[in-house]
């Protein structure tokens, strides 16, 4: 297959790229960066471009079989600090991308976000659940609001597209590590997602910072598992096109307190170094006054299982152990 990955240097995009190249597919990525894809020797076309309407260049004779749209900055700290830019990228730029691909009539996998389900939780989120966002004064929700609008636009436009809602995929190269990737940090005055913050603390022998109360929960899904799930969508395209699908591991729910403990424990087993005791802070002190948290993100994967037969396999301990081990191997002597 001929595959194009927009945002192919991002966390999910770069893992999809590897998986498709290993399957023998022809892969082109379009991205403004090459932090991740520049690190390995797998060959693929890289179109450095900020203008994602580069898709026009394919014309009708050399169209890809599938486009992934992974263009986003998926870090809450960014939404709080730069709500306007978040809207521009996650709605305006993404709408142009979707319109271009629709006009070319190319099958599309578009990444929405588990963030759309919002801040409150009463039962496992299905794709039909209500989305309860916080008030407009809390800029944290501008990302989710932009993504919901686009999800609705895609469904209303009858596009040959499957919308994926990823639930906290983690693994190698999730985000930059602020004290290690100094060049990237200089361009990004905001903090990465929590697994990367915790890894940075472990590697630098600093205390991890936990946002109160610490009992907020996420389901962490190992990236290789998730990529297998996404490829099962491609293989079952006729059933998945036109659908929204939750993708993740419903068995891997943990609190952030427990995540800190488990990552610290993996680190101790690997290195013999005892992690420092964590410090607790309020969310608004870490992120700014536009921050609110999601208390829980337990979801249903029943639709994904029904349409593709795929179910996540890699348990929480293995997911965390592998994530910590890969970072330790790459970033310590
Ligand atoms: C983020 C994105 O906003 C979602 O779009 C995305 O779908 C999701 O990650 C994902 O990776 O799938 P979230 O899980 O809230 O959502 O992001 P994190 O920054 O990783 O925060 C998780 C929890 O850790 C929050 O409760 C946060 O307050 C806490 N946290 C964060 C800490 O306790 N310490 C830190 O240093 C950073």
């Amino acid at each position: 297959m001929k595959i194009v990955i927009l945002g192919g240097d991002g966390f999910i995009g770069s893992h999809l790229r590897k998986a498709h190249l290993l399957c023998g597919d022809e892969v082109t990525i379009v991205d403004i960066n090459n932090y991740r894809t520049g690190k390995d020797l797998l060959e693929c076309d890289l179109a450095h471009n900020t203008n994602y309407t580069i898709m026009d260049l394919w014309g009708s004779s050399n169209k890809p079989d599938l486009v992934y749209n992974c263009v986003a900055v998926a870090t809450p700290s960014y939404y709080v600090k730069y709500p306007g830019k978040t809207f521009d990228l996650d709605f305006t730029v993404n709408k142009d991308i979707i319109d271009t691909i629709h006009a070319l009539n190319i099958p599309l996998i578009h990444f929405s976000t588990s963030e759309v389900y919002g801040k409150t939780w009463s039962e496992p989120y299905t794709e039909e659940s209500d989305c309860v966002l916080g008030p407009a004064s809390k800029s944290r929700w501008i990302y989710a609001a932009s993504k919901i609008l686009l999800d609705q636009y895609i469904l209303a436009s009858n596009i040959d597209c499957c919308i994926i809602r990823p639930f906290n995929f983690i693994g190698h190269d999730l985000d930059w590590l602020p004290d290690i990737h100094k060049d990237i940090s200089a361009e990004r005055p905001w903090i990465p997602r929590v697994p990367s913050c915790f890894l940075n603390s472990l590697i630098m022998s600093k205390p991890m910072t936990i946002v109160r109360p610490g009992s907020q929960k996420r389901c962490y899904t190992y990236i290789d598992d998730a990529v297998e799930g996404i490829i099962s969508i491609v293989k079952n395209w006729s059933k998945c096109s036109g659908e929204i699908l939750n993708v993740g591991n419903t068995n891997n729910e943990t609190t952030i307190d427990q995540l800190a403990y488990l990552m610290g424990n993996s680190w101790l087993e690997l290195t013999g170094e005892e992690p420092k005791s964590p410090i607790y802070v309020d969310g608004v002190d870490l992120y700014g006054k536009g921050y609110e948290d999601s208390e829980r993100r337990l979801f249903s994967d029943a639709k994904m299982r029904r349409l593709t037969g795929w179910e996540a396999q890699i348990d929480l301990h293995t997911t965390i152990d592998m994530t910590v081990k890969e970072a330790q191997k790459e970033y310590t002597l």
Side-chain angles (χ1 to χ4, degrees):
M1 283 177 90
K2 260 190 221 164
I3 309 278
V4 169
I5 309 177
L6 305 178
D9 192 61
F11 174 58
I12 300 177
S14 62
H15 282 270
L16 281 170
R17 161 186 169 265
K18 271 191 205 162
H20 277 289
L21 287 172
L22 293 173
C23 290
D25 294 321
E26 195 184 308
V27 180
T28 301
I29 69 165
V30 183
D31 206 299
I32 51 171
N33 299 314
N34 70 344
Y35 299 132
R36 296 177 177 87
T37 42
K39 280 200 285 193
D40 66 49
L41 298 172
L42 290 170
E43 298 250 329
C44 75
D45 290 334
L46 173 68
H48 266 281
N49 214 302
T50 46
N51 176 9
Y52 291 98
T53 55
I54 191 172
M55 293 295 300
D56 296 343
L57 298 178
W58 271 283
S60 54
S61 58
N62 191 25
K63 283 203 297 199
D65 301 301
L66 175 73
V67 174
Y68 287 101
N69 179 22
C70 308
V71 176
V73 177
T75 42
S77 173
Y78 184 83
Y79 326 148
V80 174
K81 229 175 157 72
Y82 305 109
K85 286 186 187 175
T86 301
F87 179 77
D88 273 351
L89 181 67
D90 294 295
F91 183 77
T92 315
V93 172
N94 269 271
K95 182 179 173 297
D96 283 350
I97 289 172
I98 288 159
D99 286 342
T100 306
I101 295 167
H102 188 201
L104 290 169
N105 203 17
I106 301 168
L108 170 67
I109 291 188
H110 173 74
F111 285 86
S112 173
T113 172
S114 53
E115 183 107 3
V116 297
Y117 295 112
K119 66 183 229 177
T120 58
W121 188 91
S122 57
E123 55 184 8
Y125 299 128
T126 73
E127 293 79 356
E128 295 302 314
S129 293
D130 290 341
C131 300
V132 183
L133 306 187
S137 57
K138 300 292 178 188
S139 50
R140 191 253 161 83
W141 303 111
I142 197 163
Y143 179 72
S146 308
K147 290 286 197 178
I148 293 175
L149 269 183
L150 271 187
D151 292 355
Q152 293 200 330
Y153 178 72
I154 290 170
L155 294 184
S157 311
N158 235 342
I159 299 177
D160 186 13
C161 174
C162 176
I163 298 170
I164 294 181
R165 291 190 175 150
F167 282 78
N168 291 84
F169 299 171
I170 62 168
H172 191 44
D173 266 345
L174 174 63
D175 295 315
W176 75 107
L177 304 177
D179 289 316
I180 291 165
H181 302 111
K182 300 261 190 210
D183 48 339
I184 304 179
S185 304
E187 296 162 14
R188 298 184 185 177
W190 63 92
I191 61 166
R193 283 169 285 190
V194 72
S196 308
C197 293
F198 287 176
L199 276 175
N200 186 73
S201 299
L202 290 168
I203 293 170
M204 302 307 293
S205 299
K206 289 179 172 175
M208 293 183 246
T209 301
I210 296 180
V211 172
R212 291 190 186 94
S215 55
Q216 62 274 33
K217 292 178 177 171
R218 300 290 185 271
C219 294
Y220 287 101
T221 307
Y222 191 61
I223 185 69
D224 292 358
D225 217 358
V227 163
E228 235 180 63
I230 295 165
I231 288 179
S232 76
I233 292 174
V234 180
K235 289 182 179 155
N236 289 280
W237 189 250
S238 59
K239 286 188 259 176
C240 298
S241 176
E243 302 293 340
I244 298 183
L245 291 172
N246 289 340
V247 177
N249 192 325
T250 56
N251 295 318
N252 281 2
E253 192 179 36
T254 182
T255 63
I256 299 303
D257 272 337
Q258 181 75 356
L259 176 72
Y261 171 77
L262 291 173
M263 289 182 72
N265 219 31
S266 295
W267 184 259
L268 176 63
E269 278 175 17
L270 267 176
T271 64
E273 290 166 25
E274 191 79 47
K276 299 257 186 312
S277 297
I279 50 172
Y280 283 79
V281 297
D282 287 333
V284 287
D285 294 333
L286 187 65
Y287 290 96
K289 67 180 172 47
Y291 188 70
E292 275 191 329
D293 215 335
S294 290
E295 57 176 337
R296 190 174 184 188
R297 275 201 199 132
L298 183 59
F299 63 102
S300 164
D301 64 350
K303 187 173 175 189
M304 180 70 184
R305 281 190 278 115
R306 180 164 51 79
L307 296 188
T308 68
W310 177 83
E311 190 172 0
Q313 300 294 325
I314 302 177
D315 68 30
L316 183 66
H317 282 81
T318 311
T319 296
I320 290 174
D321 275 349
M322 291 199 291
T323 303
V324 172
K325 198 172 182 176
E326 286 155 343
Q328 194 263 346
K329 195 167 138 208
E330 182 162 358
Y331 299 118
T332 61
L333 294 175

